[in-house]
Structures are given as C-alpha cells and as structure tokens.
Amino acid sequence: MTQAKRAAPARATAWVLENKTLSPVEQAYNYILQGILSGELAPGMRVPSESVAEALGISRMPVRDALRRLEGDGAVTIYANRGATVAEYSHDDVIQLIEMRAVLEALGARLALAHIGDAEMEEFVHLRERMDRAVNDLPNWITRHDDFHNYLTSLSRRPLLMRQTERIRMMLRPYFRRHHAEQQELEIPGHEHQKIIDAVASGNPDVVEQTVRAHALANVEKIANLT
Amino acid sequence: MTQAKRAAPARATAWVLENKTLSPVEQAYNYILQGILSGELAPGMRVPSESVAEALGISRMPVRDALRRLEGDGAVTIYANRGATVAEYSHDDVIQLIEMRAVLEALGARLALAHIGDAEMEEFVHLRERMDRAVNDLPNWITRHDDFHNYLTSLSRRPLLMRQTERIRMMLRPYFRRHHAEQQELEIPGHEHQKIIDAVASGNPDVVEQTVRAHALANVEKIANLT
DNA sequence: GCGCGGATAATTGGATACAATAATACTATT
DNA sequence: AATAGTATTATTGTATCCAATTATCCGCGC
C-alpha cells in the first residue's frame, strides 16, 4: 500500500489550450456532457458505451472512463452490469439540489463582497443586460443566466466552491430547461437579478447572503413539481 | 480442452470481514479509500494502478474505474499520463472545504429540526457520550465524531445533502487527522457538541443553523495552517 | 389472451496486449 | 564538471478479446 512520496506534478491548468487534439477520454466526456447540457440526452436515457465509442471512432474503454467521471459529477448514473443513464433526479432530489446551491451561492456571494469594486458592479449590470437581451432565446438565456451567477460566485475567489456550484447547476440543467420552457416569459427583464445587484451594492454581507439564498429558492416548488 | 476458469484470487487476500464477493471495482475503491481514510496513504502520495491491482489480484482496469470515481469524490487527483495521487489540498482549499461543509451542515441541521423528537434527542446524547469515551483514541474518536455529525445531517432526510457533506468530510479527513494529532486534548469532553445539542433542543432554526455553522468554522485557521 | 420458462441476443465487466507518454539514467560534448 | 541530448525504463492510455450478466424474444401451457 505504501508508495514512495513524490512531488505531485504541477497542476496543469492550461493543458486544454495547448492540446489541440483531445484525448479519447476527453472527446467522450465532452460529447456526452454536451448532449446532456443541450437537452438532446434527457434524464433517464441510456448512454451505451458502444454507441458513443462508435460515434467518435474510438473504443469503449475511454468512454467508460468518461462515464465514470460524469458519474462523479452527478451527470449520469451507472448501474452495475446495466450501463449508464443520464442522471434522473426525483422531485425531492431537485429540491435538495436547489437548497444546496442556494446556501453555497449565498456563501459565495457573501465572500465575494470583499473583492467587489466599481468595475465589478459595472460588469454585473453588463451581464444582466446581456441576459435581458436574450430573453426570447431560451438556450442563450440559460447560458447568460449562468454567466451572471458564475461571475458573482467567481468573485469569491473560491475555486472549489465555484466548481461545486457549477456542478450542481449542471445537474439541475435539464429541470431548469423544462421549467423555463413552460414559462410564458423568462423573467420580468432584470427584475429578480437587479435585486441581487442592489444587495451587493449595499455591501451588507447578511443582506447579500439572504438575498441570493432567497433568489435561488424562489421557485423551487414549481421546478421540482415538473419531475 | 476446457478453458481455465476465471482465476478466483488464489491468495486469500486478508480482506475486510466476510464480504460477499465484491466486484473488482468495489474492492479497489474500498481498498484505496480505506488507505486514505486510515492515513496510510497521505496527500500527495502516488497510487499506481499496477500496485493496487497486484495487491488485490485483479487487473488494472477496475482499478482505473475506481480511481476515476475517487477523483469525482475529490479523494484523488488524476494527472493525464501521470497517474493518480492522493488529493492534496492547499491552505486555501482546506478553508473553502470547511466553509462549504459549514453551510451545508448548517442547512442540514436546520432541516433536521422537523424530524427531531425525544428519541432523537436521546440518541444525540448517546452519540456524544460515545465520542467522549473515545477521547484518548484518535482514530476511534474521529469515527465517533463523524457519527455525531452524520446523524444530525441524516435527520434532514436529504440523501444528496448527506452524501455531499460526507464527501467533503472525507476530503478533509487527512487534515483533520493532522490537526487533532497535534492537539493535546481532543476536546473538553462534550463541550462543543453539547452546544449543538442545546441549540437543537431550542427548536429555533436560525439558532441551530448559526450554531452548527459556527461550530464547523471554529478552528478553520488552525487546521488550514497545517498545510 | 396472458403469464411463464428457456433459449438467444445485446451489453457490460474484466483481462491481456500493445502503444504512447513521461520519468529516469546515461553518454557525449563542451 | 556541468549540461544537453539520447536511450532506457516505468507507467499510463487505448484497443481487442472473452466472460458474465442482463434484456429480449419466442414458444408453450393454462
């Protein structure tokens, strides 16, 4: 069990950029994830390693690796001897995920306050406007919406927290899509998110945390009821 | 001629307890995780798939699967073409993890209130006592400590939340071990945790949430400074 | 028509083999 | 002696093959 300790290699954060040809595992990972995020692969659908392998012209082995990683991300569920399916979250699961996201993003927002100046406030308004402009284009709007929240969380300078919230958001993606697709209008332009901007502008950590938390929990029931 | 049967591990690997033939992936997963939790495998140590496979009498393939899952759990880090190492978290990382655990467990505690009656209160006291009795046995105390917190979180009836907090606790395990090992005494028996019990007894959600959160953040700096 | 077995097909799990990559050791050259 | 470049070794990544499990289909009996 014991292994010689050796200095861990430097964290390669930029390997994506220099690698033009993605490795088979990465191809498979991106391919499947894209399918889930885009909505092509709906919750419950099977993801046979064979068909993915064939589609990408690789063997099943890297696909399996990719599926394991996606399982860790909560994007797919792997049943023993029965393969992988796009993760399906129940009514209660969705509630839990939203609750978790709420407290985590609220925490992120609170911690972000320390790093917010005029430039950042401007950026918030900018992001809100971009969101509003995409109000009639659902896929685009979802992206912009995520941009807004991710930016706020990113200002906390907490990469692990960021990663966590992104992960949960990814898990919820299919259900948010469904929810927004059924709404007549996505949001009275900017209204909800302006409240967050105002809270941030106030500079009060408790207010910020509470506002973001409430925002995330806003229509938890409506979303969960779709499942 | 008849093909030789799949070689059942001829060597009776002194394996944990009587288990009903865990699949190779599960064996590898448990084996590595156990090594990390027990402290045998310290952060930064390499975990070559070959040696694990050999130790368990299986091939490298299921070990790879296990490592991928552990990567998703945050227990190991996999560098492309350079294998897996036990996940190493920096000073800042540890702070983030503790912060996340704080808000998530605080949320869990708040939600648990709805499911707490006399029987549960008794169980809390029971668990605290077990913890106190193990005060001179570090590994055991850590287990009891986790038992206490996991029980509280479990009462929220939020499996995903539970899983998340357990995951984070696992990531932090090596650093907590280090922290507690350096402490003269683990805790004025029951003192800190009695405060949580009292808060729960009060039945006030805000108090509970705040208390649990404060408890988790109690010595974040001391722990993080060890890295 | 409906359920129940048993054969058959489809799909995953695991092992071996080989290729690719990174780490290490070595040699030659300055 | 230091270093750069090369050869060697160790380890990981991928492909292919076979076994095992699960799902499907079909005939049979009620």
Side-chain angles (χ1 to χ4, degrees):
Chain A
M1 166 67 79
T2 55
Q3 288 300 320
K5 174 161 183 166
R6 187 166 64 186
R11 262 171 230 273
T13 50
W15 60 270
V16 199
L17 302 174
E18 52 202 45
N19 238 17
K20 294 253 188 284
T21 69
L22 283 79
S23 76
V25 230
E26 287 153 356
Q27 286 181 51
Y29 183 88
N30 293 338
Y31 179 78
I32 301 167
L33 182 55
Q34 191 51 36
I36 296 175
L37 290 183
S38 75
E40 264 176 281
L41 286 173
M45 278 189 177
R46 300 190 63 184
V47 187
S49 51
E50 176 59 38
S51 55
V52 175
E54 197 181 358
L56 296 174
I58 59 181
S59 86
R60 275 174 33 219
M61 209 53 50
V63 178
R64 284 185 42 178
D65 268 14
L67 285 172
R68 288 288 186 194
R69 269 174 41 187
L70 287 164
E71 183 190 29
D73 292 339
V76 307
T77 310
I78 297 181
Y79 301 97
N81 292 316
R82 266 179 293 172
T85 64
V86 178
E88 221 166 358
Y89 293 108
S90 70
H91 174 92
D92 286 357
D93 290 338
V94 170
I95 291 179
Q96 290 176 61
L97 289 171
I98 295 177
E99 285 170 347
M100 285 192 269
R101 188 166 67 80
V103 296
L104 289 174
E105 286 196 356
L107 170 67
R110 163 186 279 269
L111 297 170
L113 275 185
H115 308 284
I116 291 180
D118 293 344
E120 284 75 18
M121 291 306 299
E122 273 183 44
E123 181 66 10
F124 278 127
V125 176
H126 180 61
L127 288 171
R128 181 180 61 68
E129 287 169 355
R130 297 237 304 181
M131 207 173 79
D132 292 348
R133 279 199 297 274
V135 80
N136 289 318
D137 178 0
L138 180 57
N140 193 20
W141 185 85
I142 291 181
T143 305
R144 298 302 161 221
H145 180 262
D146 283 8
D147 285 348
F148 182 92
H149 284 280
N150 283 336
Y151 179 65
L152 175 54
T153 306
S154 74
L155 290 178
S156 70
R157 310 268 180 89
R158 302 287 202 277
L160 291 180
L161 173 60
M162 178 92 181
R163 183 169 137 78
Q164 203 53 45
T165 55
E166 280 185 317
R167 225 187 225 196
I168 298 180
R169 198 188 303 284
M170 184 190 70
M171 295 191 226
L172 287 169
R173 176 66 72 90
Y175 305 96
F176 265 91
R177 177 192 316 286
R178 247 186 251 174
H179 169 67
H180 290 306
E182 291 196 357
Q183 298 285 86
Q184 304 306 50
E185 51 205 25
L186 290 174
E187 174 183 316
I188 296 97
H191 196 271
E192 263 295 316
H193 290 78
Q194 185 59 45
K195 285 204 276 190
I196 294 178
I197 297 181
D198 291 343
V200 170
S202 82
N204 183 326
D206 292 327
V207 170
V208 170
E209 185 166 352
Q210 195 47 45
T211 303
V212 171
R213 187 160 162 172
H215 168 75
L217 292 172
N219 26 29
V220 50
E221 272 305 332
K222 269 196 286 184
I223 296 170
N225 274 333
L226 292 176
T227 65
Chain B
M1 68 171 290
T2 58
Q3 173 87 11
K5 287 239 182 70
R6 173 194 299 275
R11 80 173 83 52
T13 37
W15 189 242
V16 225
L17 310 174
E18 22 54 67
N19 51 2
K20 8 187 209 178
T21 57
L22 289 140
S23 77
V25 228
E26 287 161 340
Q27 286 181 50
Y29 183 88
N30 293 338
Y31 179 77
I32 300 167
L33 182 56
Q34 190 53 36
I36 296 175
L37 290 183
S38 76
E40 265 178 282
L41 286 173
M45 279 187 180
R46 300 190 62 190
V47 187
S49 52
E50 175 60 39
S51 55
V52 175
E54 196 181 358
L56 297 174
I58 58 180
S59 85
R60 276 172 35 221
M61 212 51 51
V63 179
R64 283 175 50 103
D65 269 12
L67 284 171
R68 289 289 186 195
R69 268 173 44 184
L70 287 164
E71 183 190 28
D73 291 338
V76 307
T77 310
I78 298 180
Y79 301 96
N81 291 314
R82 265 176 294 176
T85 64
V86 178
E88 222 167 359
Y89 292 107
S90 71
H91 174 92
D92 286 355
D93 290 337
V94 170
I95 291 180
Q96 291 175 59
L97 290 171
I98 295 178
E99 285 170 347
M100 285 193 269
R101 188 166 67 79
V103 296
L104 289 175
E105 286 195 356
L107 171 68
R110 162 186 280 268
L111 297 170
L113 276 184
H115 308 284
I116 292 180
D118 293 345
E120 285 76 18
M121 291 306 298
E122 274 182 45
E123 181 66 9
F124 277 127
V125 176
H126 180 62
L127 288 170
R128 181 180 62 69
E129 287 168 353
R130 299 235 305 178
M131 206 173 80
D132 292 349
R133 279 198 297 275
V135 80
N136 289 318
D137 179 0
L138 180 56
N140 192 21
W141 184 83
I142 290 181
T143 305
R144 298 302 161 221
H145 181 262
D146 282 8
D147 285 346
F148 182 92
H149 284 281
N150 283 336
Y151 179 64
L152 175 54
T153 306
S154 74
L155 290 178
S156 71
R157 312 267 181 88
R158 303 286 203 277
L160 292 180
L161 174 59
M162 177 92 180
R163 182 168 137 79
Q164 202 54 43
T165 57
E166 279 185 318
R167 229 188 220 194
I168 297 180
R169 198 187 302 284
M170 185 189 71
M171 295 191 225
L172 287 169
R173 177 66 73 88
Y175 305 97
F176 265 93
R177 178 191 314 286
R178 246 185 253 175
H179 170 68
H180 289 306
E182 292 195 357
Q183 298 286 86
Q184 304 307 50
E185 49 205 27
L186 289 175
E187 175 181 314
I188 297 98
H191 195 272
E192 263 295 315
H193 290 78
Q194 184 59 43
K195 284 204 277 190
I196 294 178
I197 297 180
D198 292 343
V200 170
S202 82
N204 183 325
D206 291 327
V207 170
V208 169
E209 183 166 352
Q210 194 49 44
T211 303
V212 171
R213 186 160 162 175
H215 168 76
L217 292 172
N219 27 29
V220 49
E221 271 305 331
K222 270 197 284 183
I223 297 170
N225 274 334
L226 293 175
T227 65

Coordinates of all heavy atoms in Angstrom, one line a residue, chain A residues 23-88:
Chain A
S23 N -7.8 14.0 -26.2 CA -7.6 12.6 -26.0 C -9.0 11.9 -26.1 O -10.0 12.6 -25.8 CB -7.0 12.3 -24.6 OG -7.9 12.4 -23.6
P24 N -9.0 10.7 -26.4 CA -10.3 10.0 -26.5 C -11.2 10.1 -25.3 O -12.4 10.3 -25.4 CB -9.9 8.5 -26.7 CG -8.6 8.6 -27.4 CD -7.9 9.8 -26.9
V25 N -10.6 10.1 -24.1 CA -11.5 10.2 -22.9 C -12.1 11.6 -22.9 O -13.3 11.8 -22.6 CB -10.6 10.2 -21.6 CG1 -11.3 9.2 -20.6 CG2 -9.2 9.8 -21.8
E26 N -11.3 12.6 -23.2 CA -11.9 14.0 -23.2 C -12.9 14.1 -24.3 O -14.0 14.8 -24.1 CB -10.7 15.0 -23.5 CG -9.8 15.1 -22.3 CD -8.4 15.6 -22.7 OE1 -8.1 15.6 -23.9 OE2 -7.6 15.8 -21.8
Q27 N -12.7 13.5 -25.5 CA -13.7 13.6 -26.5 C -15.0 13.0 -26.0 O -16.1 13.6 -26.1 CB -13.2 12.8 -27.7 CG -12.2 13.4 -28.6 CD -11.8 12.5 -29.7 OE1 -12.7 12.0 -30.5 NE2 -10.5 12.2 -29.9
A28 N -14.9 11.8 -25.4 CA -16.1 11.2 -24.9 C -16.8 12.0 -23.9 O -18.0 12.2 -23.9 CB -15.8 9.8 -24.4
Y29 N -16.0 12.5 -23.0 CA -16.5 13.3 -21.8 C -17.3 14.5 -22.4 O -18.5 14.8 -22.0 CB -15.4 13.8 -20.9 CG -15.8 14.5 -19.7 CD1 -16.2 13.9 -18.6 CD2 -15.9 15.9 -19.7 CE1 -16.6 14.6 -17.4 CE2 -16.3 16.6 -18.6 CZ -16.7 16.0 -17.5 OH -17.1 16.7 -16.4
N30 N -16.6 15.3 -23.3 CA -17.3 16.5 -23.8 C -18.5 16.1 -24.6 O -19.6 16.8 -24.5 CB -16.3 17.2 -24.7 CG -15.2 17.8 -23.9 OD1 -15.3 18.0 -22.7 ND2 -14.1 18.1 -24.6
Y31 N -18.4 15.1 -25.4 CA -19.5 14.6 -26.2 C -20.8 14.3 -25.4 O -21.9 14.8 -25.7 CB -19.1 13.4 -27.0 CG -20.1 12.8 -28.0 CD1 -20.4 13.4 -29.2 CD2 -20.8 11.7 -27.6 CE1 -21.3 12.9 -30.1 CE2 -21.7 11.1 -28.5 CZ -22.0 11.7 -29.7 OH -22.9 11.2 -30.5
I32 N -20.6 13.5 -24.4 CA -21.7 13.1 -23.6 C -22.3 14.3 -22.8 O -23.5 14.6 -22.8 CB -21.4 12.0 -22.6 CG1 -20.9 10.8 -23.4 CG2 -22.6 11.6 -21.8 CD1 -20.2 9.7 -22.6
L33 N -21.4 15.1 -22.2 CA -21.8 16.2 -21.4 C -22.5 17.2 -22.3 O -23.6 17.8 -21.9 CB -20.6 16.9 -20.8 CG -20.9 18.1 -19.9 CD1 -21.9 17.7 -18.8 CD2 -19.6 18.6 -19.3
Q34 N -22.0 17.4 -23.5 CA -22.7 18.3 -24.4 C -24.1 17.9 -24.7 O -25.1 18.7 -24.7 CB -21.9 18.5 -25.7 CG -22.4 19.6 -26.6 CD -22.5 20.9 -25.8 OE1 -21.6 21.2 -24.9 NE2 -23.5 21.7 -26.1
G35 N -24.2 16.6 -24.9 CA -25.5 16.0 -25.1 C -26.5 16.3 -24.0 O -27.7 16.6 -24.2
I36 N -26.0 16.2 -22.8 CA -26.9 16.4 -21.6 C -27.2 17.8 -21.5 O -28.4 18.2 -21.3 CB -26.2 15.9 -20.3 CG1 -26.0 14.3 -20.4 CG2 -27.0 16.2 -19.1 CD1 -25.2 13.8 -19.3
L37 N -26.2 18.7 -21.6 CA -26.5 20.1 -21.4 C -27.4 20.7 -22.4 O -28.2 21.5 -22.2 CB -25.1 20.9 -21.3 CG -24.3 20.6 -20.1 CD1 -23.0 21.5 -20.2 CD2 -25.1 20.9 -18.8
S38 N -27.2 20.2 -23.6 CA -28.0 20.7 -24.7 C -29.5 20.2 -24.7 O -30.4 20.8 -25.3 CB -27.4 20.3 -26.1 OG -27.7 18.9 -26.3
G39 N -29.7 19.2 -23.9 CA -31.0 18.6 -23.8 C -31.3 17.5 -24.7 O -32.3 16.8 -24.7
E40 N -30.3 17.2 -25.6 CA -30.5 16.1 -26.5 C -30.6 14.8 -25.7 O -31.5 13.9 -26.1 CB -29.3 16.0 -27.5 CG -29.5 16.6 -28.8 CD -28.3 16.5 -29.6 OE1 -27.3 17.4 -29.4 OE2 -28.2 15.7 -30.5
L41 N -29.8 14.6 -24.7 CA -29.9 13.5 -23.9 C -30.7 13.8 -22.6 O -30.2 14.6 -21.8 CB -28.5 13.0 -23.5 CG -27.6 12.3 -24.5 CD1 -26.2 12.1 -24.0 CD2 -28.3 11.0 -24.9
A42 N -31.9 13.3 -22.5 CA -32.8 13.7 -21.4 C -32.5 12.7 -20.3 O -32.1 11.6 -20.5 CB -34.2 13.6 -21.9
P43 N -32.9 13.1 -19.1 CA -32.7 12.3 -17.9 C -33.4 10.9 -18.1 O -34.5 10.9 -18.6 CB -33.4 13.1 -16.8 CG -33.3 14.5 -17.2 CD -33.3 14.5 -18.7
G44 N -32.7 9.9 -17.7 CA -33.3 8.5 -17.9 C -32.8 7.8 -19.1 O -32.9 6.6 -19.2
M45 N -32.4 8.6 -20.1 CA -31.9 7.9 -21.3 C -30.7 7.1 -21.1 O -29.8 7.5 -20.3 CB -31.7 9.0 -22.4 CG -32.9 9.5 -23.1 SD -32.4 10.6 -24.5 CE -34.0 10.9 -25.2
R46 N -30.6 6.0 -21.8 CA -29.4 5.2 -21.7 C -28.3 5.8 -22.5 O -28.5 6.4 -23.5 CB -29.7 3.8 -22.1 CG -30.8 3.1 -21.3 CD -30.9 1.7 -21.7 NE -29.6 1.0 -21.3 CZ -29.4 -0.3 -21.6 NH1 -30.3 -1.0 -22.2 NH2 -28.3 -0.9 -21.2
V47 N -27.1 5.6 -22.1 CA -25.9 6.1 -22.8 C -25.0 4.9 -23.0 O -24.0 4.7 -22.2 CB -25.1 7.2 -22.0 CG1 -24.0 7.7 -22.8 CG2 -26.1 8.3 -21.6
P48 N -25.3 4.0 -24.0 CA -24.5 2.8 -24.2 C -23.0 3.2 -24.6 O -22.9 4.0 -25.5 CB -25.2 2.1 -25.3 CG -26.5 2.8 -25.5 CD -26.3 4.2 -25.0
S49 N -22.1 2.6 -23.9 CA -20.7 2.9 -24.3 C -20.4 2.6 -25.7 O -19.6 3.3 -26.4 CB -19.7 2.2 -23.3 OG -20.0 0.8 -23.3
E50 N -21.0 1.6 -26.2 CA -20.7 1.1 -27.6 C -21.1 2.2 -28.6 O -20.3 2.6 -29.4 CB -21.6 -0.1 -27.9 CG -21.4 -0.6 -29.3 CD -20.0 -1.0 -29.7 OE1 -19.3 -1.5 -28.9 OE2 -19.6 -0.7 -30.9
S51 N -22.3 2.8 -28.5 CA -22.7 3.8 -29.5 C -21.9 5.0 -29.4 O -21.6 5.6 -30.4 CB -24.2 4.1 -29.3 OG -24.5 4.5 -28.0
V52 N -21.5 5.4 -28.2 CA -20.7 6.6 -28.1 C -19.3 6.4 -28.7 O -18.8 7.2 -29.5 CB -20.5 7.0 -26.6 CG1 -19.5 8.2 -26.5 CG2 -21.8 7.4 -26.0
A53 N -18.8 5.2 -28.4 CA -17.5 4.8 -29.0 C -17.5 4.8 -30.5 O -16.6 5.4 -31.2 CB -17.1 3.4 -28.5
E54 N -18.6 4.3 -31.0 CA -18.7 4.2 -32.5 C -18.8 5.6 -33.1 O -18.2 5.9 -34.1 CB -19.9 3.4 -32.8 CG -19.9 2.9 -34.3 CD -21.2 2.1 -34.6 OE1 -22.0 1.9 -33.7 OE2 -21.4 1.7 -35.7
A55 N -19.6 6.4 -32.4 CA -19.9 7.8 -32.9 C -18.6 8.6 -33.0 O -18.4 9.4 -33.9 CB -20.9 8.5 -32.0
L56 N -17.7 8.3 -32.1 CA -16.4 9.1 -32.0 C -15.2 8.3 -32.7 O -14.1 8.9 -32.7 CB -16.1 9.4 -30.6 CG -17.1 10.3 -29.8 CD1 -16.7 10.5 -28.4 CD2 -17.1 11.7 -30.5
G57 N -15.5 7.1 -33.1 CA -14.4 6.3 -33.7 C -13.4 5.9 -32.7 O -12.2 5.9 -33.1
I58 N -13.7 5.6 -31.5 CA -12.8 5.2 -30.5 C -13.3 3.9 -29.9 O -14.4 3.4 -30.3 CB -12.5 6.2 -29.4 CG1 -13.9 6.6 -28.7 CG2 -11.9 7.5 -30.0 CD1 -13.7 7.6 -27.7
S59 N -12.6 3.3 -29.0 CA -13.0 2.1 -28.4 C -13.9 2.4 -27.1 O -14.0 3.6 -26.7 CB -11.8 1.2 -27.9 OG -11.4 1.6 -26.7
R60 N -14.4 1.4 -26.5 CA -15.3 1.6 -25.4 C -14.6 2.0 -24.1 O -15.2 2.6 -23.2 CB -16.1 0.3 -25.2 CG -17.4 0.2 -26.0 CD -18.0 -1.2 -25.8 NE -17.8 -1.6 -24.4 CZ -17.6 -2.8 -24.0 NH1 -17.4 -3.8 -25.0 NH2 -17.4 -3.2 -22.8
M61 N -13.3 1.7 -24.1 CA -12.6 1.9 -22.8 C -12.5 3.3 -22.4 O -12.9 3.6 -21.3 CB -11.2 1.3 -23.0 CG -10.6 0.8 -21.7 SD -11.6 -0.4 -20.8 CE -12.0 -1.5 -22.1
P62 N -12.1 4.3 -23.2 CA -12.1 5.7 -22.8 C -13.5 6.2 -22.5 O -13.7 7.1 -21.7 CB -11.5 6.4 -24.0 CG -11.5 5.4 -25.1 CD -11.5 4.1 -24.5
V63 N -14.5 5.6 -23.2 CA -15.9 6.0 -22.9 C -16.3 5.7 -21.5 O -16.9 6.4 -20.8 CB -16.9 5.4 -23.9 CG1 -18.3 5.8 -23.6 CG2 -16.5 5.7 -25.4
R64 N -15.8 4.5 -21.1 CA -16.1 4.1 -19.7 C -15.5 5.0 -18.7 O -16.1 5.4 -17.7 CB -15.6 2.7 -19.5 CG -16.4 1.6 -20.1 CD -16.0 0.2 -19.8 NE -15.6 0.1 -18.4 CZ -15.2 -1.1 -17.9 NH1 -15.1 -2.1 -18.7 NH2 -14.9 -1.2 -16.7
D65 N -14.3 5.4 -19.0 CA -13.6 6.4 -18.1 C -14.4 7.7 -18.0 O -14.7 8.2 -17.0 CB -12.2 6.7 -18.6 CG -11.2 5.8 -18.0 OD1 -11.6 4.8 -17.4 OD2 -10.0 6.1 -18.1
A66 N -14.8 8.1 -19.2 CA -15.6 9.4 -19.2 C -16.9 9.2 -18.5 O -17.3 10.1 -17.7 CB -15.9 9.7 -20.7
L67 N -17.5 8.1 -18.6 CA -18.8 7.9 -17.9 C -18.6 7.8 -16.4 O -19.4 8.3 -15.6 CB -19.4 6.5 -18.4 CG -20.1 6.6 -19.8 CD1 -20.5 5.2 -20.2 CD2 -21.3 7.5 -19.7
R68 N -17.5 7.3 -16.0 CA -17.2 7.3 -14.5 C -17.0 8.7 -14.0 O -17.5 9.0 -12.9 CB -15.9 6.5 -14.2 CG -16.0 5.0 -14.4 CD -16.9 4.4 -13.3 NE -16.9 2.9 -13.4 CZ -17.7 2.2 -12.8 NH1 -18.7 2.7 -12.0 NH2 -17.7 0.9 -12.9
R69 N -16.3 9.5 -14.8 CA -16.1 10.9 -14.3 C -17.5 11.6 -14.3 O -17.8 12.3 -13.4 CB -15.2 11.6 -15.3 CG -13.8 11.4 -14.8 CD -12.7 12.0 -15.7 NE -13.0 13.2 -16.4 CZ -12.2 13.7 -17.3 NH1 -11.1 13.0 -17.7 NH2 -12.5 14.8 -17.9
L70 N -18.3 11.4 -15.3 CA -19.6 12.0 -15.4 C -20.5 11.5 -14.2 O -21.3 12.3 -13.7 CB -20.3 11.7 -16.7 CG -19.7 12.5 -17.9 CD1 -20.1 11.9 -19.2 CD2 -20.0 13.9 -17.8
E71 N -20.3 10.3 -13.8 CA -21.0 9.8 -12.6 C -20.6 10.6 -11.4 O -21.4 11.0 -10.6 CB -20.7 8.3 -12.4 CG -21.5 7.7 -11.3 CD -21.0 6.3 -10.9 OE1 -19.8 6.0 -11.1 OE2 -21.8 5.5 -10.5
G72 N -19.3 10.8 -11.3 CA -18.8 11.6 -10.2 C -19.3 13.0 -10.2 O -19.6 13.6 -9.1
D73 N -19.5 13.5 -11.4 CA -20.1 14.9 -11.5 C -21.6 14.9 -11.2 O -22.2 16.0 -11.2 CB -19.8 15.4 -12.9 CG -18.3 15.6 -13.1 OD1 -17.6 15.8 -12.1 OD2 -17.9 15.7 -14.3
G74 N -22.2 13.7 -11.2 CA -23.6 13.7 -10.9 C -24.4 13.8 -12.2 O -25.6 14.0 -12.2
A75 N -23.8 13.7 -13.4 CA -24.4 13.8 -14.6 C -25.1 12.5 -15.1 O -26.1 12.6 -15.8 CB -23.5 14.4 -15.7
V76 N -24.5 11.4 -14.8 CA -25.0 10.2 -15.2 C -25.0 9.2 -14.0 O -24.3 9.4 -13.0 CB -24.2 9.5 -16.4 CG1 -24.1 10.4 -17.5 CG2 -22.9 9.0 -15.9
T77 N -25.8 8.2 -14.1 CA -25.9 7.2 -13.1 C -25.5 5.9 -13.7 O -25.9 5.5 -14.8 CB -27.3 7.1 -12.5 OG1 -27.8 8.4 -12.2 CG2 -27.3 6.2 -11.3
I78 N -24.6 5.1 -13.0 CA -24.2 3.9 -13.6 C -24.7 2.7 -12.7 O -24.4 2.7 -11.5 CB -22.6 3.8 -13.6 CG1 -22.1 4.9 -14.6 CG2 -22.2 2.4 -14.1 CD1 -20.6 4.9 -14.7
Y79 N -25.5 1.9 -13.3 CA -26.0 0.7 -12.6 C -25.1 -0.5 -13.0 O -24.8 -0.7 -14.2 CB -27.4 0.4 -13.0 CG -28.4 1.6 -12.7 CD1 -28.7 2.5 -13.7 CD2 -28.9 1.8 -11.4 CE1 -29.6 3.5 -13.4 CE2 -29.7 2.8 -11.1 CZ -30.1 3.7 -12.1 OH -30.9 4.7 -11.8
A80 N -24.8 -1.3 -12.0 CA -23.9 -2.4 -12.2 C -24.4 -3.3 -13.3 O -25.6 -3.7 -13.2 CB -23.6 -3.2 -10.9
N81 N -23.6 -3.6 -14.3 CA -24.0 -4.5 -15.3 C -25.1 -4.0 -16.2 O -25.6 -4.8 -17.1 CB -24.4 -5.9 -14.8 CG -23.2 -6.6 -14.2 OD1 -22.1 -6.6 -14.7 ND2 -23.4 -7.2 -13.0
R82 N -25.6 -2.8 -16.0 CA -26.7 -2.3 -16.8 C -26.3 -1.0 -17.4 O -27.2 -0.4 -18.0 CB -27.9 -2.2 -16.0 CG -28.8 -3.4 -16.1 CD -30.0 -3.3 -15.3 NE -29.7 -3.3 -13.8 CZ -30.6 -3.1 -12.9 NH1 -31.8 -2.8 -13.2 NH2 -30.3 -3.1 -11.6
G83 N -25.1 -0.6 -17.3 CA -24.7 0.6 -18.0 C -25.1 1.9 -17.4 O -25.6 2.0 -16.3
A84 N -24.9 3.0 -18.2 CA -25.1 4.3 -17.7 C -26.4 4.9 -18.3 O -26.7 4.7 -19.5 CB -23.9 5.2 -18.1
T85 N -27.0 5.7 -17.5 CA -28.1 6.5 -18.0 C -27.9 7.9 -17.5 O -27.3 8.2 -16.5 CB -29.5 6.0 -17.4 OG1 -29.5 6.2 -16.0 CG2 -29.7 4.5 -17.7
V86 N -28.5 8.9 -18.2 CA -28.5 10.3 -17.8 C -29.1 10.4 -16.4 O -30.2 9.8 -16.3 CB -29.2 11.2 -18.8 CG1 -29.1 12.6 -18.3 CG2 -28.5 11.1 -20.2
A87 N -28.4 11.0 -15.5 CA -28.9 11.0 -14.1 C -30.3 11.6 -14.1 O -30.7 12.6 -14.7 CB -28.0 11.8 -13.3
E88 N -31.2 10.9 -13.3 CA -32.5 11.3 -13.1 C -32.7 11.7 -11.7 O -32.4 11.0 -10.8 CB -33.4 10.1 -13.5 CG -34.7 10.5 -14.3 CD -35.3 9.2 -14.8 OE1 -34.8 8.1 -14.6 OE2 -36.3 9.3 -15.5

